[in-house]
Amino acid sequence: MTATLSGCGGDSDGGDVTLKLVAADYGTGEANKSDTYWDGVARGFEASHPGIKVEVTVLPWTDVDRKVAQMVKAGKAPDIAQIGAYADYAKAGKLYSADQMLSVRTQANFLPVLADAGRVSQVQYGLPFVASTRLLFYNKKLFSQSGLDAPKTWSDIAGDAAALKAHGVKYPFALPLGQEESQAETLMWLLSGGGGYTDDVGSYNIDSAENIKTFDWLKSNLVDKGLVGPVAPGDLNRGKAFAAFTKGEVGMLNGHPTLMQEAQKQGVDVGMVPLPAVSGPTSSSMGVADWIMGFKQNKHRVETGKFFDFMFSDKNVIDFADTYDMLPVTDSASASMETDPKYKSLHKFLAALPNAQFYPFGKTSWARASESIKKNIGEAVEPGASPESVLERIAQESTTAESAE
């Protein structure tokens, strides 16, 4: 898609400017392609910024990160890229920082936890584009049939899963540790066990005592007791687990807003609670964010900033979040959705966002660390396996990647 805008370009070179924007497609088909959203933003921008043209290219998620990397390597970086990671480009000096582009009002409006997740060496380069949080989902019908209440602790999860299994539920607790997105499932469990991927100073500590204890518990109390269903966690991808939940075959799993909407469409009565921990609900959820950034190459700093200031208006932020069952990234848009009954189904996710914990996005080594987690973590709960040895292997590979930066 190409949208042409005209507007006041600011102080770049005194003439008309064309901004090139590459974005990811969040749609599931022709009916909800992200082209429609960007066309609306482009036309709105056109009304107040004559002299600026914007060429928008929307690509599938399977291609967009690779295509942008190729463009940058070829010396043809876009002015703006909406993709999954920013740290490599920031460390290479290819991006404008947030304060070089945005108005004070726009920059200050990001949710603090998301602004922090966009920093490299204390400087924000990644602008959060959209976010999501995770909650524990349970099938209310299956729980009612088994005489169960919503789980609050790990012990509740284990007891409920045993009861669900006794009532013939196919997946009492679906534990997707296959390669599709097991870095997310892993982090959710690590957080509920008081750990995480990094320590207080940002160094990897994947094999911490807390993390080892968490996976020992998972293996001993869920996997070894046959409470995770017919597919071994290391062979169960998120998509298959989610599909089983929408069919009413899963008692519990960790989920996000899109799954909630899809399950409800299929007639599943979904219960949602904060992730249980050892002695009660966790104080922080796992958060996920995608990013948008401005490249320096074409020297369109002022025009890029004007576009971002327009794009991050409440209307645009809420429109995108609403279309794709995601969460807004700004304080004002979040406050608006939290008080709107239309978004009642998202309120629990919105409430979890300010205290969410994110992947270590600011590390250029994170991509390699994430791959190691996806490749290896399923082995930690296999019969006869040692969770400690698997976590130590992942930790070693992650630390090696960090040292190679």
Side-chain angles (χ1 to χ4, degrees), residues 6 37 46 77 116 153 178 234 238 260 299 392:
S6 29
Y37 168 79
E46 175 182 26
D116 288 344
T153 66
R238 186 188 69 168
M260 173 193 67
K299 303 185 186 306
E392 286 177 346

Side-chain angles (χ1 to χ4, degrees), residues 13 61 75 86 114 145 148 171 175 185 244 254 269 288 296 302 306 318 320 348-349 364 385 390 400 405:
D13 61 2
W61 264 114
Y86 62 84
L114 289 167
Q145 290 173 345
L148 302 173
Y171 293 89
L175 184 67
E185 185 72 18
N254 293 318
D269 192 2
V288 175
K296 292 180 177 179
V302 173
K306 287 180 181 292
I318 292 173
F320 193 90
K348 287 186 177 181
F349 295 98
T364 57
V390 174
T400 299
E405 290 186 10

Side-chain angles (χ1 to χ4, degrees), residues 55-341:
E55 295 179 358
V56 182
T57 303
V58 177
L59 298 171
W61 264 114
T62 51
D63 299 331
V64 67
D65 289 281
R66 175 174 50 84
K67 291 283 191 180
V68 169
Q70 291 172 348
M71 294 168 72
V72 173
K73 186 175 181 180
K76 298 178 180 179
D79 295 285
I80 299 168
Q82 187 272 298
I83 50 180
Y86 62 84
D88 281 337
Y89 301 123
K91 289 225 171 162
K94 296 183 181 297
L95 301 181
Y96 290 118
S97 63
D99 60 0
Q100 290 176 314
M101 298 181 292
L102 307 179
S103 68
V104 173
R105 169 179 252 171
T106 299
Q107 191 175 358
N109 197 25
F110 292 125
L111 289 165
V113 68
L114 289 167
D116 288 344
R119 298 181 193 278
V120 173
S121 301
Q122 309 305 313
V123 178
Q124 185 182 358
Y125 294 94
L127 311 181
F129 177 71
V130 73
S132 180
T133 53
R134 302 292 191 262
L135 296 172
L136 179 75
F137 286 25
Y138 63 97
N139 184 311
K140 285 186 175 181
K141 180 180 178 181
L142 297 179
F143 264 62
S144 177
Q145 290 173 345
S146 301
L148 302 173
D149 295 322
K152 297 179 181 178
T153 66
W154 283 1
S155 293
D156 291 344
I157 286 178
D160 292 351
L164 290 163
K165 182 180 180 181
H167 280 77
V169 176
K170 187 173 181 180
Y171 293 89
F173 194 107
L175 184 67
L177 296 178
Q179 292 196 29
E180 181 184 344
E181 205 194 22
S182 53
Q183 81 281 9
E185 185 72 18
T186 299
L187 181 55
M188 284 182 264
W189 281 102
L190 298 186
L191 290 172
S192 70
Y197 286 140
T198 57
D199 59 22
D200 291 340
V201 296
S203 300
Y204 288 117
N205 67 340
I206 295 170
D207 58 346
S208 69
E210 294 85 357
N211 293 346
I212 292 168
K213 185 176 180 180
T214 294
F215 267 81
D216 281 339
W217 186 90
L218 276 174
K219 184 177 185 301
S220 299
N221 292 276
L222 292 184
V223 182
D224 289 351
K225 293 183 178 180
L227 300 178
V228 295
V231 181
D235 296 327
L236 183 64
N237 280 330
R238 186 188 69 168
K240 184 171 183 178
F242 282 12
F245 186 80
T246 64
K247 294 176 184 175
E249 298 175 344
V250 175
M252 296 172 278
L253 51 56
N254 293 318
H256 56 49
T258 306
L259 174 62
M260 173 193 67
Q261 302 284 7
E262 186 59 33
Q264 290 173 343
K265 288 177 185 176
Q266 299 300 321
V268 177
D269 192 2
V270 183
M272 297 176 293
V273 292
L275 304 181
V278 175
S279 57
T282 54
S283 57
S284 63
S285 170
M286 189 196 83
V288 175
D290 296 326
W291 305 94
I292 194 163
M293 61 213 70
F295 282 87
K296 292 180 177 179
Q297 181 179 316
N298 300 319
K299 303 185 186 306
H300 293 154
R301 177 181 63 84
V302 173
E303 294 81 8
T304 296
K306 287 180 181 292
F307 184 80
F308 282 143
D309 285 339
F310 180 85
M311 191 200 79
F312 282 112
S313 70
D314 284 359
K315 179 185 182 302
N316 290 329
V317 170
I318 292 173
D319 280 353
F320 193 90
D322 185 30
T323 299
Y324 297 106
D325 301 320
M326 304 291 277
L327 302 181
V329 296
T330 63
D331 278 317
S332 56
S334 293
S336 177
M337 291 182 75
E338 284 171 354
T339 57
D340 189 337

